[in-house]
Amino acid sequence: MNMRTQAAAGRAARSSAIHNMVLLSLLTAIVILMACTPIGLIDLPMIKATLLHIPVIIGAILLGPKQGAFLGAVFGLTSVVKNTMVPGLLSFAFSPLIPVPGTQSGSLWALFISMVPRMLIGPVAWAVYTLLAKLLSRRAGGRMIAAAAAAVVGALVVNTGLVMGSIGVLFRDAYATANGIPVDGVTAAIMGVVAINGVPEAIAAAVLVPAVVLPLQRALKR
């Protein structure tokens, strides 16, 4: 009986690993596909708005922080490629191949801005979801609240907030030059971008992430 139990546990583990690999591959493909369409990276006058954080957050909640970081890295790479191929006003902050205003060359700090905040989206969202799901485990709709909160934190605080905050610190003068504003007006301008772009992105994530995660958790029995 013990051997049968071990064999069954082994089969279940292999099946779970296969399911995880398939789901990670599917979410990776979705991130890449979205990045290649106007849905994923939306060209706006000041910055490219995005919904690519949504599959990253979904993947992190369902699969774990490491897989979330991987999906975030894919998101970051697509941002580098898109800003290189179709540059916008702030593309110098996302691609090292785009010259920084006032200079003749790009900056490697652009890779930091494109990659690091995006790689943190998944792990932070996973941590928020895991903590709140435990705290609200006895409350009706607890997992939905946890998923929505994780989506808002991942989208608004980590993605938009950390990206724009990094731009404000690392490219303050270049940001002012690119936008034709005084340097002392950069903070207000960045807060405006966070409000105009970040809040709608966070609302979209708060609606879509629970709508996708909860049915998948039931289907995958997680």
Side-chain angles (χ1 to χ4, degrees), residues 33-103:
L33 180 62
M34 289 177 65
C36 295
T37 68
I39 297 175
L41 289 169
I42 306 166
D43 292 312
L44 297 176
M46 293 185 66
I47 196 171
K48 296 180 189 296
T50 182
L51 296 177
L52 290 177
H53 52 274
I54 292 176
V56 175
I57 296 169
I58 291 171
I61 292 175
L62 292 174
L63 299 173
K66 292 181 180 179
Q67 291 83 350
F70 171 80
L71 291 168
V74 176
F75 173 9
L77 287 173
T78 63
S79 179
V80 173
V81 173
K82 183 69 178 289
N83 280 281
T84 301
M85 301 299 293
V86 188
L89 188 65
L90 292 184
S91 289
F92 66 87
F94 298 95
S95 170
L97 300 179
I98 303 299
V100 177
T103 72

Side-chain angles (χ1 to χ4, degrees), residues 100-171:
V100 177
T103 72
Q104 299 298 317
S105 61
S107 171
L108 290 177
W109 282 115
L111 289 178
F112 172 89
I113 293 174
S114 280
M115 299 298 298
V116 174
R118 276 63 186 271
M119 292 178 68
L120 290 175
I121 293 172
V124 172
W126 172 85
V128 172
Y129 174 80
T130 302
L131 176 61
L132 290 181
K134 289 180 180 180
L135 293 176
L136 302 174
S137 60
R138 297 183 179 180
R139 179 174 177 176
R143 284 191 300 150
M144 179 178 293
I145 295 172
V152 170
V153 172
L156 183 61
V157 178
V158 183
N159 185 40
T160 307
L162 189 53
V163 165
M164 294 306 300
S166 297
I167 292 174
V169 172
L170 298 172
F171 293 107

